[in-house]
Short mmCIF file of all heavy atoms in Angstrom, two decimals:
data_model
loop_
_atom_site.label_atom_id
_atom_site.label_comp_id
_atom_site.label_asym_id
_atom_site.label_seq_id
_atom_site.Cartn_x
_atom_site.Cartn_y
_atom_site.Cartn_z
N ALA A 4 -65.72 -107.61 -59.13
CA ALA A 4 -65.63 -107.30 -60.56
C ALA A 4 -64.18 -106.96 -60.89
O ALA A 4 -63.51 -106.27 -60.12
CB ALA A 4 -66.53 -106.13 -60.92
N LYS A 10 -53.30 -108.56 -69.90
CA LYS A 10 -52.41 -109.69 -69.61
C LYS A 10 -52.40 -110.06 -68.13
O LYS A 10 -52.55 -111.23 -67.77
CB LYS A 10 -50.99 -109.32 -70.09
CG LYS A 10 -49.95 -110.41 -69.93
CD LYS A 10 -48.68 -110.05 -70.71
CE LYS A 10 -47.47 -110.89 -70.28
NZ LYS A 10 -47.71 -112.35 -70.24
N ALA A 12 -54.55 -109.45 -65.77
CA ALA A 12 -55.85 -109.96 -65.30
C ALA A 12 -56.01 -111.43 -65.68
O ALA A 12 -56.38 -112.26 -64.84
CB ALA A 12 -56.99 -109.11 -65.89
N SER A 23 -60.23 -119.29 -55.35
CA SER A 23 -60.37 -118.80 -53.98
C SER A 23 -61.70 -119.25 -53.36
O SER A 23 -62.74 -119.21 -54.02
CB SER A 23 -60.32 -117.26 -53.99
OG SER A 23 -60.80 -116.77 -52.75
N THR A 31 -66.95 -108.42 -65.46
CA THR A 31 -65.73 -107.80 -65.95
C THR A 31 -66.12 -106.49 -66.64
O THR A 31 -67.23 -106.35 -67.14
CB THR A 31 -64.98 -108.68 -66.96
OG1 THR A 31 -65.81 -108.91 -68.10
CG2 THR A 31 -64.55 -110.01 -66.35
N ASP A 56 -75.06 -105.53 -56.55
CA ASP A 56 -74.73 -106.69 -55.72
C ASP A 56 -73.23 -106.96 -55.64
O ASP A 56 -72.79 -107.74 -54.80
CB ASP A 56 -75.43 -107.93 -56.28
CG ASP A 56 -75.00 -108.21 -57.73
OD1 ASP A 56 -75.04 -107.27 -58.56
OD2 ASP A 56 -74.60 -109.36 -58.02
N VAL A 96 -53.61 -91.01 -54.78
CA VAL A 96 -53.85 -92.11 -53.84
C VAL A 96 -54.20 -91.56 -52.46
O VAL A 96 -55.06 -92.11 -51.76
CB VAL A 96 -52.65 -93.08 -53.78
CG1 VAL A 96 -53.02 -94.31 -52.96
CG2 VAL A 96 -52.22 -93.51 -55.18
N TRP A 114 -49.33 -104.97 -53.38
CA TRP A 114 -47.95 -105.11 -53.86
C TRP A 114 -47.71 -106.61 -53.97
O TRP A 114 -47.32 -107.24 -52.99
CB TRP A 114 -46.98 -104.46 -52.87
CG TRP A 114 -47.21 -102.99 -52.67
CD1 TRP A 114 -47.79 -102.39 -51.60
CD2 TRP A 114 -46.86 -101.94 -53.59
NE1 TRP A 114 -47.84 -101.03 -51.79
CE2 TRP A 114 -47.28 -100.72 -52.99
CE3 TRP A 114 -46.25 -101.90 -54.85
CZ2 TRP A 114 -47.09 -99.48 -53.62
CZ3 TRP A 114 -46.07 -100.67 -55.46
CH2 TRP A 114 -46.48 -99.48 -54.86
N VAL A 122 -40.65 -113.92 -48.84
CA VAL A 122 -40.57 -112.56 -48.30
C VAL A 122 -40.84 -112.54 -46.79
O VAL A 122 -40.07 -111.93 -46.02
CB VAL A 122 -41.53 -111.60 -49.06
CG1 VAL A 122 -41.62 -110.25 -48.36
CG2 VAL A 122 -41.04 -111.42 -50.49
N HIS A 149 -43.40 -107.13 -71.44
CA HIS A 149 -44.37 -106.09 -71.85
C HIS A 149 -44.36 -105.94 -73.37
O HIS A 149 -44.20 -104.81 -73.86
CB HIS A 149 -44.04 -104.76 -71.18
CG HIS A 149 -44.25 -104.77 -69.71
ND1 HIS A 149 -45.48 -104.50 -69.14
CD2 HIS A 149 -43.41 -105.04 -68.69
CE1 HIS A 149 -45.37 -104.59 -67.82
NE2 HIS A 149 -44.13 -104.92 -67.52
N PRO A 150 -44.50 -107.04 -74.12
CA PRO A 150 -44.34 -106.95 -75.57
C PRO A 150 -45.28 -105.91 -76.18
O PRO A 150 -46.50 -106.00 -76.02
CB PRO A 150 -44.70 -108.37 -76.05
CG PRO A 150 -45.47 -108.99 -74.93
CD PRO A 150 -44.91 -108.39 -73.68
N GLY A 151 -44.68 -104.92 -76.84
CA GLY A 151 -45.48 -103.91 -77.55
C GLY A 151 -46.26 -102.95 -76.68
O GLY A 151 -47.01 -102.12 -77.20
N GLN A 152 -46.09 -103.03 -75.35
CA GLN A 152 -46.87 -102.15 -74.45
C GLN A 152 -46.21 -100.77 -74.35
O GLN A 152 -45.53 -100.46 -73.39
CB GLN A 152 -47.01 -102.78 -73.06
CG GLN A 152 -47.91 -104.03 -73.06
CD GLN A 152 -48.06 -104.63 -71.65
OE1 GLN A 152 -48.00 -103.94 -70.65
NE2 GLN A 152 -48.27 -105.94 -71.60
N VAL A 163 -38.65 -98.59 -66.35
CA VAL A 163 -38.05 -99.72 -65.62
C VAL A 163 -38.50 -99.75 -64.16
O VAL A 163 -38.31 -100.76 -63.47
CB VAL A 163 -36.51 -99.67 -65.74
CG1 VAL A 163 -35.92 -98.58 -64.84
CG2 VAL A 163 -35.88 -101.02 -65.42
N ILE A 168 -40.34 -101.35 -59.01
CA ILE A 168 -41.16 -101.07 -57.83
C ILE A 168 -41.52 -102.36 -57.10
O ILE A 168 -41.78 -102.35 -55.89
CB ILE A 168 -42.40 -100.22 -58.21
CG1 ILE A 168 -42.90 -99.42 -56.99
CG2 ILE A 168 -43.51 -101.09 -58.80
CD1 ILE A 168 -43.94 -98.35 -57.33
N ALA A 170 -39.32 -104.78 -56.64
CA ALA A 170 -38.17 -104.95 -55.75
C ALA A 170 -38.27 -104.00 -54.55
O ALA A 170 -38.01 -104.38 -53.41
CB ALA A 170 -36.87 -104.67 -56.53
N ILE A 177 -39.12 -105.87 -45.98
CA ILE A 177 -38.22 -106.75 -45.19
C ILE A 177 -37.23 -105.99 -44.31
O ILE A 177 -36.77 -106.53 -43.31
CB ILE A 177 -37.45 -107.76 -46.07
CG1 ILE A 177 -36.49 -107.06 -47.04
CG2 ILE A 177 -38.42 -108.67 -46.80
CD1 ILE A 177 -35.58 -108.02 -47.83
N PRO A 181 -36.70 -97.96 -42.19
CA PRO A 181 -36.79 -97.37 -43.53
C PRO A 181 -35.47 -96.77 -44.01
O PRO A 181 -34.64 -96.35 -43.20
CB PRO A 181 -37.83 -96.25 -43.37
CG PRO A 181 -38.40 -96.37 -42.01
CD PRO A 181 -37.51 -97.23 -41.20
N GLY A 200 -33.30 -97.87 -67.61
CA GLY A 200 -32.31 -98.35 -66.64
C GLY A 200 -32.19 -97.35 -65.51
O GLY A 200 -32.41 -96.15 -65.72
N ARG A 216 -33.11 -104.21 -70.17
CA ARG A 216 -32.53 -104.61 -71.45
C ARG A 216 -31.82 -105.94 -71.35
O ARG A 216 -30.98 -106.28 -72.17
CB ARG A 216 -31.54 -103.53 -71.93
CG ARG A 216 -32.21 -102.22 -72.29
CD ARG A 216 -31.22 -101.08 -72.32
NE ARG A 216 -30.64 -100.85 -70.99
CZ ARG A 216 -29.96 -99.76 -70.66
NH1 ARG A 216 -29.76 -98.79 -71.54
NH2 ARG A 216 -29.47 -99.62 -69.44
N GLN A 221 -32.91 -113.98 -66.55
CA GLN A 221 -33.44 -112.78 -65.90
C GLN A 221 -33.05 -112.82 -64.42
O GLN A 221 -32.93 -113.89 -63.83
CB GLN A 221 -34.97 -112.77 -66.04
CG GLN A 221 -35.45 -113.00 -67.48
CD GLN A 221 -35.38 -111.76 -68.35
OE1 GLN A 221 -36.17 -110.86 -68.19
NE2 GLN A 221 -34.40 -111.70 -69.25
N VAL A 227 -28.43 -109.15 -49.00
CA VAL A 227 -28.28 -108.34 -47.78
C VAL A 227 -27.12 -108.89 -46.96
O VAL A 227 -27.05 -110.10 -46.73
CB VAL A 227 -29.57 -108.37 -46.94
CG1 VAL A 227 -29.46 -107.44 -45.74
CG2 VAL A 227 -30.79 -108.00 -47.78
N MET A 234 -27.70 -112.81 -46.37
CA MET A 234 -29.01 -113.36 -46.72
C MET A 234 -29.31 -112.93 -48.16
O MET A 234 -28.97 -111.82 -48.54
CB MET A 234 -30.07 -112.78 -45.79
CG MET A 234 -31.45 -113.40 -45.97
SD MET A 234 -32.79 -112.19 -45.69
CE MET A 234 -32.82 -111.37 -47.29
N MET A 238 -35.09 -114.95 -57.29
CA MET A 238 -36.30 -115.27 -58.05
C MET A 238 -37.49 -114.41 -57.60
O MET A 238 -38.59 -114.90 -57.36
CB MET A 238 -36.66 -116.76 -57.89
CG MET A 238 -35.58 -117.71 -58.39
SD MET A 238 -35.26 -117.52 -60.16
CE MET A 238 -36.83 -118.06 -60.85
N LEU A 243 -35.13 -118.20 -50.70
CA LEU A 243 -34.36 -117.59 -49.61
C LEU A 243 -33.06 -118.36 -49.40
O LEU A 243 -33.06 -119.60 -49.36
CB LEU A 243 -35.18 -117.62 -48.32
CG LEU A 243 -34.56 -117.02 -47.06
CD1 LEU A 243 -34.27 -115.53 -47.23
CD2 LEU A 243 -35.48 -117.24 -45.86
N HIS A 285 -40.37 -93.97 -53.14
CA HIS A 285 -38.99 -94.12 -53.61
C HIS A 285 -38.87 -93.86 -55.11
O HIS A 285 -37.88 -93.29 -55.58
CB HIS A 285 -38.46 -95.52 -53.29
CG HIS A 285 -38.20 -95.74 -51.82
ND1 HIS A 285 -37.58 -94.81 -51.02
CD2 HIS A 285 -38.47 -96.79 -51.01
CE1 HIS A 285 -37.48 -95.28 -49.79
NE2 HIS A 285 -38.02 -96.48 -49.75
N ASP A 288 -39.19 -90.16 -55.63
CA ASP A 288 -37.93 -89.55 -55.19
C ASP A 288 -36.83 -89.74 -56.24
O ASP A 288 -36.04 -88.83 -56.50
CB ASP A 288 -37.49 -90.15 -53.85
CG ASP A 288 -38.31 -89.61 -52.67
OD1 ASP A 288 -39.02 -88.60 -52.83
OD2 ASP A 288 -38.21 -90.20 -51.57
#
Side-chain angles (χ1 to χ4, degrees):
Chain A
K10 183 168 164 50
S23 165
T31 61
D56 59 310
V96 188
W114 300 104
V122 170
H149 292 274
Q152 291 181 30
V163 75
I168 205 168
I177 64 174
R216 293 161 297 194
Q221 310 280 287
V227 185
M234 186 214 82
M238 299 298 295
L243 181 61
H285 288 317
D288 284 346

